[in-house]
Amino acid sequence: MGDFSPYDDNGGTVAAIAGQDYVLIACDSRLSTGSTILSRFTPKIYPLSKMTVFACSGFHADVLTLIKNLEVRMKLFIHEHGEEMSTKAVMALMLPTLYGRRFFPFYVRPIVAGLDRDGKGLVASYDPVGTPEFFDYVIQGSGENLVHPFLHNQIGAKRTLSDVPVQAPPGLTLDKAVKLLKDAFLAAAERDVYTGDTVTLVAMTAKGTETMEYQLRRD
Amino acid sequence: MAHRYDINSALLRDLKVPLDGRTSSSHSATPKQHSQGPSVSGTAVIGVAFKDGIVLAADTVGSYGTLCKIRTVPRLLKVNKNTVLAMSGDYADFQFIEQHIGKQSIRDFNSDDGYEWSPKSLHSWLTRVLYNARSKIDPLWNSYVVGGYETETNRPYLGGLTMLGISYTSPYVATGFGRFIAQPFLADQVEKNPELDEKTARVAAIHALRLLYYRNRESSNKYQLAVVTKDNAVVEPVKEFETAWDTALMIRGYD
C-alpha cells in the first residue's frame, strides 16, 4: 500500500514553428497510459483566443486543469480590459501559473504559439515549473528526442555538412513548414509508441486560421 | 511514475489485520492509511456511440480481491433522461459519488430554472471531483464512462474518465481490463461501420462483455445495458448472455 502516485504520463508530441507572417502548431491525437491507449481522438491543441493557441503534452489531467485556469484568467482579462489578451501577455502569464505550483507541479510540457499585433509568429515553450524559452521552432513531448535533431538540421541548419540552402525561419514559407512538421510527426509515429493516430496542424496568419488533419500510424 | 495497482495485495493487506482489530502497521513508521486502494470493486465497463445515441454496458459483479463477493450489483446509474454513468473500481467511492450527484440533481430541480446535468457537464464536473481528490492524495478509486445525448449540439456524447482526472471523449470507450480486450474489438466494429445503428451497437457492446468474460476472472455473464437516445435514457434489467466454451478444449493446458 501507499503506492499511489498522483501523476501519470499520457505521452504525445506537440510542435510549433514561428514564421515572419504565420505561426504553425502541430500535435498528435493519441492519449496513452502505460502501454495502453485511452483515446485515439484527443488532439493536444487548445485554442485560447483569435490570436493564440496552446498545445501541451504530459499528464492529461494537469493539462486540462491548466487550460481551465488559463481560460478563466483570459476571460477575467477581457472583462477588466475590454479586449482579448495578446499572445505576449499569455506567454508572460504562463510563468506564474506554472511556478505557483512549484511544490506540486503540473506535469506538463506546454507550448504557447500565436501572432503578435503585427501578425508576426511567436512561439514559447515551458518546462513543468514555468521556465520560458523563446525559439523559432520547438518540439516537446514523447517524440521530442527523436524529432528535435531533424528540425535542427532542416530549419536551424545545425549539424549539417551538406550545402543544402538553409531554411531559416525568415525564409521558411508556410507551405514548406507544413511539409516539415508533417514529416516530423510521421517520423515520430514510426518509432515512438506514444505518438500516432492523427496529426493536427493549425496554421495561423493575419488572414485567419486553417486546420489540417492527416492520418498517422495507428499501431 | 504511476505504479500499477495490484488487487491481490489489497486482499493480503486486509488479511494481515489481526482479529483483535489492531493493525499490523501500528509498529511501523507510517500510520495506517485509508483510501489507498479499492476493496469491493467492479471490473471493466464499456461504452459505444451509435448514430443517434449511446450504449453503456457493465457486468454486475462486486469483487473483493479475487473473491466474487456480490453477484448482482448495479454499476450503471441513470442521472436523468439525457445522461447515464457507468462505474468501475471501488464501489463505496461510487456510492459516495452517486449521493453527491443525487443531491446536486435535487438542488437543480429546486432551482426550477430548467437546468439539469448534460452528459458533458457531468463529465466535466466528475473530472474536477476526481482531480481534486487525487490532488489531496486521497483519491476516489474509480474509472468512469459518461454517456448520453447532448441536447445543445443534438449529438450523442461519450467520454471516459480515470481516477487521476484524465478525461477524454471517444466513439468507443472501455475502462481497466477492457482497454486491452474490448477496446480493440470496438475500434474494429466502429471503423468497419462508422454509422452504427442502435441494434449493431448493442450487439457489439454485449459481445465486448463476452470477450472480457472469457479472459477476465473478475467478470460474469450477468450484465446490464443502458441506452440513451434523444430525450430517453433506459437502464435495462439484469440479463445473462450466452457463452460457448467448446473452443476452449483446443487450448493446450486448458484442462
Side-chain angles (χ1 to χ4, degrees), chain A residues 121-141:
Chain A
L122 295 171
V123 166
S125 69
Y126 302 82
D127 75 351
V129 289
T131 316
E133 288 182 299
F134 302 94
F135 293 120
D136 292 331
Y137 57 94
V138 68
I139 183 154
Q140 302 228 89

Side-chain angles (χ1 to χ4, degrees), chain B residues 101-177:
Chain B
I101 292 171
K103 282 179 192 168
Q104 187 58 43
S105 299
I106 289 169
R107 260 181 248 131
D108 286 345
F109 177 78
N110 289 345
S111 303
D112 200 24
D113 56 1
Y115 179 83
E116 56 176 358
W117 293 114
S118 76
K120 197 180 174 186
S121 69
L122 181 74
H123 193 200
S124 172
W125 175 83
L126 258 185
T127 305
R128 265 28 273 172
V129 172
L130 293 205
Y131 183 83
N132 286 329
R134 85 98 218 189
S135 297
K136 283 185 250 166
I137 322 290
D138 185 17
L140 291 157
W141 220 283
N142 296 124
S143 295
Y144 289 101
V145 176
V146 188
Y149 200 86
E150 196 61 48
T151 42
E152 219 163 87
T153 55
N154 233 4
R155 285 169 67 84
Y157 184 94
L158 187 63
L161 173 59
T162 76
M163 60 180 284
L164 295 176
I166 301 161
S167 79
Y168 50 92
T169 56
S170 176
Y172 51 89
V173 209
T175 66
F177 205 57

Side-chain angles (χ1 to χ4, degrees), chain A residues 56-176:
Chain A
C56 196
S57 73
F59 174 37
H60 192 60
D62 277 346
V63 175
L64 295 172
T65 309
L66 180 57
I67 278 289
K68 273 215 150 66
N69 280 346
L70 287 176
E71 279 172 353
V72 168
R73 291 296 295 268
M74 292 188 69
K75 189 154 273 181
L76 286 173
F77 186 97
I78 291 173
H79 290 314
E80 224 168 281
H81 298 92
E83 60 173 357
E84 275 187 339
M85 231 179 203
S86 67
T87 302
K88 274 186 180 164
V90 179
M91 287 173 170
L93 176 63
M94 287 297 290
L95 166 57
T97 308
L98 290 166
Y99 197 82
R101 290 274 299 252
R102 175 62 180 80
F103 300 108
F104 187 19
F106 287 125
Y107 186 68
V108 292
R109 305 298 307 277
I111 293 176
V112 176
L115 301 173
D116 69 8
R117 296 203 196 278
D118 306 320
K120 190 178 174 303
L122 295 171
V123 166
S125 69
Y126 302 82
D127 75 351
V129 289
T131 316
E133 288 182 299
F134 302 94
F135 293 120
D136 292 331
Y137 57 94
V138 68
I139 183 154
Q140 302 228 89
S142 57
E144 176 183 340
N145 292 342
L146 284 165
V147 184
H148 218 153
F150 170 72
L151 296 184
H152 273 325
N153 182 272
Q154 291 294 304
I155 307 172
K158 294 188 174 74
R159 305 285 178 272
T160 175
L161 298 174
S162 67
D163 49 5
V164 176
V166 175
Q167 304 268 5
L172 184 65
T173 63
L174 178 56
D175 283 350
K176 179 70 182 168

Side-chain angles (χ1 to χ4, degrees), chain A residues 45-50 52-54 67 71 204:
Chain A
I45 294 176
Y46 307 85
L48 286 178
S49 72
K50 263 181 269 163
T52 319
V53 291
F54 179 81
I67 278 289
E71 279 172 353
M204 223 182 222

Side-chain angles (χ1 to χ4, degrees), chain B:
Chain B
M1 279 295 93
H3 300 283
R4 271 187 62 75
Y5 176 72
D6 178 11
I7 190 115
N8 292 310
S9 59
L11 190 62
L12 278 174
R13 188 246 353 237
D14 287 355
L15 291 176
K16 271 183 202 156
V17 177
L19 289 175
D20 62 3
R22 276 184 293 125
T23 59
S24 56
S25 59
S26 57
H27 41 74
S28 77
T30 51
K32 181 177 157 62
Q33 294 209 316
H34 295 275
S35 306
Q36 296 287 303
S39 60
V40 175
S41 63
T43 182
V45 288
I46 60 156
V48 194
F50 56 88
K51 201 158 46 84
D52 33 30
I54 59 107
V55 184
L56 302 188
D59 68 36
T60 61
V61 173
S63 307
Y64 184 73
T66 53
L67 172 73
C68 175
K69 193 171 188 186
I70 310 166
R71 280 202 288 189
T72 315
V73 76
R75 299 206 287 131
L76 301 175
L77 174 69
K78 179 180 169 176
V79 175
N80 59 37
K81 65 182 192 309
N82 295 312
T83 315
V84 286
L85 182 65
M87 68 77 67
S88 59
D90 191 274
Y91 202 75
D93 284 351
F94 168 61
Q95 287 175 317
F96 167 74
I97 291 288
E98 204 175 352
Q99 287 184 14
H100 225 325
I101 292 171
K103 282 179 192 168
Q104 187 58 43
S105 299
I106 289 169
R107 260 181 248 131
D108 286 345
F109 177 78
N110 289 345
S111 303
D112 200 24
D113 56 1
Y115 179 83
E116 56 176 358
W117 293 114
S118 76
K120 197 180 174 186
S121 69
L122 181 74
H123 193 200
S124 172
W125 175 83
L126 258 185
T127 305
R128 265 28 273 172
V129 172
L130 293 205
Y131 183 83
N132 286 329
R134 85 98 218 189
S135 297
K136 283 185 250 166
I137 322 290
D138 185 17
L140 291 157
W141 220 283
N142 296 124
S143 295
Y144 289 101
V145 176
V146 188
Y149 200 86
E150 196 61 48
T151 42
E152 219 163 87
T153 55
N154 233 4
R155 285 169 67 84
Y157 184 94
L158 187 63
L161 173 59
T162 76
M163 60 180 284
L164 295 176
I166 301 161
S167 79
Y168 50 92
T169 56
S170 176
Y172 51 89
V173 209
T175 66
F177 205 57
R179 287 208 305 273
F180 293 88
I181 287 176
Q183 221 161 232
F185 166 71
L186 295 173
D188 194 47
Q189 292 292 303
V190 170
E191 264 160 47
K192 272 186 200 150
N193 185 5
E195 292 272 282
L196 281 181
D197 59 8
E198 182 179 331
K199 196 168 163 248
T200 343
R202 291 170 74 102
V203 172
I206 294 168
H207 191 62
L209 286 184
R210 186 180 292 116
L211 292 173
L212 280 162
Y213 178 55
Y214 286 141
R215 281 290 174 190
N216 181 2
R217 63 180 174 186
E218 270 191 59
S219 65
S220 89
N221 62 336
K222 282 175 89 176
Y223 72 99
Q224 265 187 306
L225 285 186
V227 184
V228 189
T229 48
K230 194 175 184 181
D231 289 327
N232 188 33
V234 184
V235 175
E236 296 177 358
V238 177
K239 289 179 202 146
E240 279 185 32
F241 55 74
E242 296 295 315
T243 51
W245 291 95
D246 42 337
T247 48
L249 295 169
M250 289 190 260
I251 299 170
R252 194 184 302 182
Y254 174 72
D255 51 355

